[in-house]
């Protein structure tokens, strides 16, 4: 059996104006004006392991060599999860890795939106490509994730309440809608009124 190397993942957010409600006051009674917002937000998603430390630290020469080999292997390939890659990159095709994928900096809340499970999926596959370029098939790798790495994930074709309208149409699209039959009044709970047109009826 091959040795197993375990990587753990977590995220942290850093804000431009991360202040509390108290501040220093000068001898003349003046103080700086506190910004009303937290300012720009930078999120870092990173992996670490016992064997390689935080973010898989390499010298600049070794990093350049690993990126070159990883990009050669990735050329023309698609991500395994095409749906996640398309959401993040606009295409399922893998692009060149330009930096160590074990530490990703993400400016959120602007045009980038917010970090989601799709970003996490792409980062993981980038890390796997990076590891294979360095170690080949010598090890098996296991990845452990912070719970929040599953943001906005859901089954493909699953119904999402926030995308549903009370009437026809909505973001869901007709391909996600399907017929359902409610077979028993017991499914409605204690507040359902039989025969009331405002409520869903059985059958």
């Amino acid at each position: 059996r091959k040795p197993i190397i375990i990587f753990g993942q977590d995220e942290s957010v850093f804000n431009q104006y991360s202040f509390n409600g108290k501040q220093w006051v000068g001898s003349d009674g003046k103080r700086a004006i506190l910004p009303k917002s937290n300012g720009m937000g930078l999120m870092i998603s990173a992996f670490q392991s016992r064997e390689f430390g935080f973010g898989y630290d390499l010298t600049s020469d070794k990093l350049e060599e690993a990126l070159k080999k990883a990009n050669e292997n990735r050329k023309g390939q698609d991500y395994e999860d095409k749906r996640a890659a398309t959401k993040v990159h606009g295409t399922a095709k893998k692009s060149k890795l330009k930096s160590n994928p074990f530490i990703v900096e993400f400016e959120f809340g602007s045009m980038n939106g917010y970090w989601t499970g799709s970003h996490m999926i792409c980062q993981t596959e980038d890390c796997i490509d990076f590891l294979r370029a360095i170690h080949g098939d010598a090890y098996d790798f296991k990845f452990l994730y912070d719970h929040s790495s599953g943001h906005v994930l859901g089954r493909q074709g699953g119904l999402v309440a926030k995308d549903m309208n009370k009437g026809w149409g909505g973001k869901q699209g007709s391909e996600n809608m399907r017929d359902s039959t409610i077979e028993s009044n017991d499914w409605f709970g204690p507040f359902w009124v039989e025969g009331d047109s405002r409520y869903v009826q059985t059958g």
Side-chain angles (χ1 to χ4, degrees), residues 23-49:
Q23 63 182 132
W24 291 102
V25 180
S27 58
D28 57 358
K30 295 181 180 179
R31 67 185 73 191
I33 297 175
L34 281 177
K36 291 184 178 180
S37 73
N38 289 329
M40 186 192 82
L42 183 67
M43 194 217 73
I44 294 179
S45 172
F47 288 94
Q48 68 175 15
S49 67

Side-chain angles (χ1 to χ4, degrees), residues 7 23 25 33 43 77 88 98 117 150 152 192 197:
F7 291 92
Q23 63 182 132
V25 180
I33 297 175
M43 194 217 73
Q77 290 188 0
V88 174
K98 298 179 180 178
V152 199
W192 176 78
S197 61

Side-chain angles (χ1 to χ4, degrees), residues 27-197:
S27 58
D28 57 358
K30 295 181 180 179
R31 67 185 73 191
I33 297 175
L34 281 177
K36 291 184 178 180
S37 73
N38 289 329
M40 186 192 82
L42 183 67
M43 194 217 73
I44 294 179
S45 172
F47 288 94
Q48 68 175 15
S49 67
R50 290 180 177 179
E51 291 79 7
F52 304 115
F54 179 78
Y56 206 108
D57 191 25
L58 292 171
T59 65
S60 57
D61 290 341
K62 290 290 185 182
L63 176 60
E64 185 178 351
E65 181 182 340
L67 290 173
K68 182 179 179 181
K69 189 170 182 180
N71 288 327
E72 288 174 355
N73 296 339
R74 286 161 60 94
K75 189 174 182 180
Q77 290 188 0
D78 290 344
Y79 281 92
E80 290 291 331
D81 192 331
K82 295 180 175 60
R83 183 171 65 123
T86 302
K87 283 184 178 180
V88 174
H89 301 298
T91 177
K93 292 291 182 185
K94 292 182 179 180
S95 59
K96 282 188 175 183
L97 295 176
K98 298 179 180 178
S99 60
N100 187 335
F102 279 80
I103 301 176
V104 172
E105 296 182 359
F106 182 82
E107 183 182 344
F108 66 90
S110 58
M111 293 178 62
N112 293 333
Y114 292 88
W115 183 266
T116 68
S118 296
H119 291 86
M120 192 70 261
I121 289 170
C122 292
Q123 183 185 5
T124 300
E125 190 161 346
D126 291 342
C127 289
I128 292 172
D129 290 344
F130 189 79
L131 289 168
R132 285 175 176 167
I134 298 173
H135 301 289
D137 198 34
Y139 303 101
D140 282 333
F141 302 103
K142 185 172 184 177
F143 296 87
L144 306 178
Y145 299 92
D146 172 62
H147 181 70
S148 62
S149 62
H151 285 315
V152 199
L153 283 181
R155 190 183 74 175
Q156 187 169 2
L159 297 177
V160 181
K162 70 180 181 64
D163 292 338
M164 299 174 70
N165 291 340
K166 290 188 294 184
W168 297 105
K171 296 180 182 178
Q172 292 286 352
S174 59
E175 69 277 4
N176 291 342
M177 305 300 289
R178 47 195 175 272
D179 293 333
S180 299
T181 301
I182 300 173
E183 299 176 345
S184 170
N185 294 350
D186 296 335
W187 294 8
F188 293 120
F191 303 107
W192 176 78
V193 179
E194 186 174 4
D196 191 326
S197 61

